[in-house]
Amino acid sequence: RTVRTEARIEQILSLDVEKKKPLRIEKTISVHTSRDWAISEPLAATRNALHRAGRWEDLRDSHRLAWEHIWDRADIRIDGTDEEAQLLLRFNVFHLIQTTSMNVIDLDVGVPARGLHGEAYRGHIFWDELFIFPLLNFRFPEVTRSLLMYRYRRLNEARHLAIEAGHEGAMFPWQSGSDGREESQVLHLNPKSGRWIPDDTHRQRHINAAIAYNVWQYFQVTDDREFLSFYGAEMLLEVARFWASISTYDADRERYEIHHVVGPDEFHTRYPGAESSGLSNNAYTNVMACWTLGTACRAFEMLSEDCRVEISERLGITDDEFERWDHISRKMFIPFHGDGIISQFEGYADLEELDWEGYREKYGDIQRLDRILEAEGDSPNRYKAGKQADVLMLFYLFSAEELGDLFERLGYRFDRDLIPRNIDYYTRRSSDGSTLSRVVHSWVLARSERERAWELFLSALGSDLSDIQGGTTAEGIHLGALAGSVDLMQRGHTGIDVRDDVLWLNPCLPEQLEELRLGIRYRGHWLSLVIHRNRFSITAEKGWAKPVQIGVHDTIHSLKQGQSRSFSIRC
Ligand code: IFM
């Protein structure tokens, strides 16, 4: 008997059973919608699929085979003192693949921050893919490409958002959904006080830089020139245009500035007591804007001449515009305070210090310090207290060399010891209220404070299995932290970095690991890496492309299919 109710459809089977005699029921389900490809209409497609599906054993076997293939590509094996870490790595990969498997290819889907597992953020798509794509790029690049197309298809809406805000180019929304309009909430509830608070986080324009960064990283790992020519370059150019148009020139300072934005740290959305929201010169945003302007020009130069002509005619880009971009990328203002501390935003130095010890003593868990302070009638905007990595994102996304080049181009001194000083300064002033924060902090501490980095790694890795935020996992997994923490193993401990057509490797295992084994896909090769404490080897196992360039200890080596090389480790 089939029973339909408003919320569900049930099938009731009444059968005679015999004691101790097992009864086996097989139920096969097929789901189609009218938007599926290569079907006539959903009912016929569903019927056909059911008739052709075979029996339970057939379905189980094909399911098993599909997962074996996934694990062949995705697994990371570790051997060491912490047995749970291996389980957690696989748990996270499994849940990542539940949301972003090969099945998304050709579908118009993006990466919802909370996976497909729960209803938090109403399925919206934020910047979290910045933490997810690096893992996918080296394993399932076809999936990244498809997910980047989610953004490309919404480029027109982003152009419209830029115009509406009085800018040029494309301004992607902070929270994106079906058609790419801004979906951010304007109010949110503080469950601690029961009050509805204005939500200004939509001012996180840095998401545009994240999209540009993702396009460029995908291209670096795959060398997919077709994608760059048809889609990637256009996104980079339009985002660069947006950064140029939101930048204003301060004649006294002789520098460009960016106003009315919010950085990744969502505890700071306006100046203390200010009527309107937004901050000036968020350092992360300003540096990322300069990086985008430079990278868009570089990508444009890499296109074929035909393509360059077509794209500049289509977008109406002129040489004057490129010159302005170049000027901005050399003259952007970056705030500093104290002894070489990059200020999170202009005026950050004037904020009050928070009594961290006092708050920890009083409340125990202070991850959501914003809610605690608001319930006390106060605001995190008044304090040097961050929810998550902001300035430190720079050290997560760029190598010391790359950052040095960016700051030097801007005419700022960038001594190497500025890095540990900033890491120490900001990690002390963070509540890690976002699960993304621990990924970044573990990454930036990996080579200097190895014990602390490992603890943060385990905590980020267990974000959902241990539900470290005390109840939020039930509303959906934290996909950025899940994938980002696996990537700490994939790129962090291997030192993988792709620059100028070279795959650089600089492994350094944490004390807790004896061995790390993984396979990565790079420009048409499957490379297998086996890393021990003092040595590591790399083998080009399978591949169909020309030899790739591998960089180790300042030397570049060519590696072709079937070849293997081994190197000593300098940690
Ligand atoms: O994108 C994040 C943001 O950085 C912190 N709050 C949650 C968002 C979705 O994960």
Side-chain angles (χ1 to χ4, degrees), residues 113 121 126-128 174 204 264 266 387-388 434 436:
Y121 301 130
F126 301 63
W127 73 321
D128 302 45
W174 172 238
Q204 292 186 69
E266 297 180 329
K387 178 182 183 185
Q388 65 201 93
S434 160
L436 299 174

Side-chain angles (χ1 to χ4, degrees), residues 3 74 149 212 220 273 277 311 399 523 565:
V3 183
M149 289 304 289
Q220 290 295 305
S277 65
I311 206 164
S399 65
R523 299 194 174 192
R565 281 177 184 271

Side-chain angles (χ1 to χ4, degrees), residues 282-292 334 394 398 403 406-407:
N282 169 257
Y284 171 70
T285 305
N286 287 18
V287 173
M288 292 307 286
C290 294
W291 175 86
T292 311
I334 310 293
L394 295 173
F398 299 111
L403 268 187
L406 278 165
F407 276 82

Side-chain angles (χ1 to χ4, degrees), residues 254-374:
E254 297 184 350
R255 288 263 175 198
Y256 288 89
E257 303 184 327
I258 299 179
H259 298 281
H260 312 300
V261 296
V262 168
D265 166 23
E266 297 180 329
F267 281 0
H268 291 98
T269 54
R270 59 176 70 200
Y271 287 103
E275 285 289 309
S276 58
S277 65
L279 301 161
S280 292
N281 295 315
N282 169 257
Y284 171 70
T285 305
N286 287 18
V287 173
M288 292 307 286
C290 294
W291 175 86
T292 311
L293 291 165
T295 305
C297 295
R298 214 169 138 196
F300 182 77
E301 289 304 322
M302 291 175 91
L303 303 176
S304 68
E305 200 185 331
D306 286 358
C307 204
R308 281 204 299 267
V309 171
E310 278 178 17
I311 206 164
S312 31
E313 282 180 0
R314 194 150 39 87
L315 304 184
I317 298 189
T318 59
D319 286 347
D320 287 352
E321 209 168 348
F322 282 127
E323 265 171 42
R324 182 158 184 269
W325 295 4
D326 183 68
H327 195 237
I328 299 173
S329 72
R330 292 174 191 281
K331 300 291 282 177
M332 180 66 81
F333 174 66
I334 310 293
F336 283 87
H337 67 272
D339 190 12
I341 301 299
I342 303 169
S343 305
Q344 191 170 306
F345 50 84
E346 198 169 2
Y348 179 88
D350 302 329
L351 303 183
E352 286 179 36
E353 291 287 2
L354 184 93
D355 172 13
W356 290 93
E357 274 317 300
Y359 271 89
R360 283 200 179 101
E361 241 166 61
K362 188 165 170 196
Y363 291 98
D365 179 356
I366 58 165
Q367 292 182 81
R368 292 309 301 262
L369 190 62
D370 54 334
R371 293 182 176 164
I372 293 174
L373 288 168
E374 197 278 330

Side-chain angles (χ1 to χ4, degrees), residues 20-77:
K20 297 215 167 168
K21 211 164 168 206
L23 174 79
R24 181 170 134 162
I25 297 170
E26 267 183 37
K27 178 163 174 150
T28 311
I29 297 172
S30 164
V31 180
H32 277 282
T33 83
S34 57
R35 297 180 72 179
D36 289 354
W37 291 25
I39 67 160
S40 157
E41 51 90 27
L43 188 58
T46 307
R47 280 206 180 115
N48 287 341
L50 283 177
H51 285 136
R52 296 167 191 170
R55 300 296 302 268
W56 149 251
E57 279 79 7
D58 306 318
L59 293 172
R60 182 205 50 201
D61 290 348
S62 60
H63 174 83
R64 216 175 239 172
L65 188 65
W67 272 102
E68 270 167 25
H69 291 164
I70 290 171
W71 285 115
D72 278 350
R73 281 171 167 242
D75 203 14
I76 294 183
R77 287 160 195 263

